[in-house]
Amino acid sequence: MEGLLNYYAADSFIHRLNPTLKLAGIMALVVAVTMAFDPWTPLAFLALGLFMLRVLARVPIRQFIRPLLLFLVLGALGFISANAFFYTPLPGRPVTILWQAGGVRVILEGIRVGISLTLRMLSIVTFSILFVATTDPTDFVLSLIQQARFPFRLGYGILVAYRFMPMWRTELEIIRAAHRIRGAGERPTLRGRWEQLQRYAVPLLASAIRKSERVAIAMDSKAFGALPRRTYYRDVHVRPTDWAFLAGCVLAAAAIVWGMAQLGLLEGYGVVPEA
């Protein structure tokens, strides 16, 4: 899951975009693929997302292949298998039974629905990785404050919480090492994991509270939020290429939907299928 949450520093067209407009463009693609219920339209959006991720953003394959494989397995085990066995057609609508043993049967239409849901999930994950891997968290918060008029007090709190996330992992490793030195080993059983969770949670929570208090004292000492307006060390600007990217995402989504409709592959777009 690391590739799903990590920023990949590079100099590419996608990296240089304004974070707020980049998020708006990617959200347009996500909304467009969410309304597709056939397997071909999500597949086209998935191909577009992989192209943007690898070619336009220059993100290495190893950065996103593991999360995608994980969600592919989850989709295959969850969506496809569940719909294959438990798909319920409308009364009077015929189904194609591929295999049957007693009351258990595998339905072709259910597999089709499961594949569609899996591809839709992979498309959304790909676009999410595209944004996270190409957007510096500090620039994103600054852009939200400066362009989207997001309250700077709340934005700074979100940025601090995001910056603390890698520190919790380090803190957890230190606590685990300290427990191992004192002879409190780790057991792989369910009860052992529950006991480890109890032993690790208290010192980890105490460390989080201590760090939060230090940050709060530092903010108070610098009169953070005392004035309604504030200046910034770095300004995030909006360029014509940012608007071009947003327009390109909207046009790409419209082109995929129109192309699928022309090929006769678009089924029930924007209409929730009846169960």
Side-chain angles (χ1 to χ4, degrees):
M1 298 292 286
E2 290 184 354
L4 190 63
L5 301 174
N6 289 357
Y7 168 65
Y8 177 76
D11 184 20
S12 71
F13 170 72
I14 302 292
H15 282 80
R16 291 190 292 270
L17 291 172
N18 178 276
T20 299
L21 292 185
K22 186 197 306 182
L23 178 64
I26 291 176
M27 284 303 298
L29 295 171
V30 170
V31 170
V33 73
T34 302
M35 294 190 292
F37 295 96
D38 62 274
W40 302 107
T41 307
L43 181 62
F45 276 97
L46 176 61
L48 174 64
L50 292 175
F51 172 79
M52 296 171 69
L53 196 56
R54 184 68 189 94
V55 178
L56 299 182
R58 300 176 185 175
V59 177
I61 295 177
R62 67 176 184 279
Q63 188 76 12
F64 56 84
I65 192 65
R66 291 181 62 183
L68 288 181
L69 288 177
L70 174 62
F71 279 95
L72 177 61
V73 172
L74 291 176
L77 293 177
F79 292 131
I80 298 178
S81 60
N83 282 281
F85 287 103
F86 304 110
Y87 177 73
T88 304
L90 287 175
R93 178 171 295 183
V95 294
T96 305
I97 300 176
L98 299 178
W99 175 83
Q100 184 170 8
V104 181
R105 59 183 186 175
V106 176
I107 302 174
L108 177 62
E109 286 76 9
I111 296 176
R112 179 185 172 88
V113 171
I115 292 175
S116 173
L117 292 172
T118 302
L119 290 174
R120 200 188 326 167
M121 179 182 66
L122 288 176
S123 301
I124 295 173
V125 170
T126 302
F127 290 127
S128 302
I129 295 175
L130 174 66
F131 180 77
V132 174
T134 61
T135 307
D136 182 85
T138 303
D139 289 343
F140 178 47
V141 173
L142 288 175
S143 177
L144 285 178
I145 295 172
Q146 296 175 14
Q147 274 86 50
R149 305 302 179 190
F150 195 72
F152 67 85
R153 295 180 181 85
L154 190 56
Y156 186 78
I158 294 174
L159 181 60
V160 170
Y162 187 84
R163 290 294 190 187
F164 273 178
M165 288 178 64
M167 298 176 62
W168 303 141
R169 183 183 301 175
T170 305
E171 290 279 345
L172 178 61
E173 292 300 325
I174 293 174
I175 294 171
R176 292 176 65 186
H179 281 238
R180 284 197 296 269
I181 291 174
R182 294 170 184 173
E186 297 180 349
R187 292 183 298 172
T189 61
L190 186 60
R191 181 177 180 180
R193 292 186 181 279
W194 170 248
E195 292 175 352
Q196 292 156 24
L197 176 63
Q198 292 177 308
R199 284 192 281 115
Y200 297 158
V202 175
L204 198 61
L205 182 61
S207 175
I209 294 173
R210 190 162 53 244
K211 285 184 171 55
S212 301
E213 289 178 345
R214 290 173 181 170
V215 171
I217 292 172
M219 293 169 69
D220 288 340
S221 65
K222 296 178 183 297
F224 181 81
L227 300 175
R229 298 181 62 86
R230 59 178 288 115
T231 57
Y232 299 95
Y233 175 74
R234 184 169 71 243
D235 291 328
V236 180
H237 301 284
V238 177
R239 301 178 179 84
T241 52
D242 302 317
W243 292 108
F245 174 78
L246 176 59
C249 288
V250 174
L251 290 176
I256 289 176
V257 175
W258 181 81
M260 290 296 157
Q262 295 300 311
L263 294 174
L265 300 175
L266 192 68
E267 300 176 9
Y269 185 77
V271 179
V272 178
E274 299 174 341

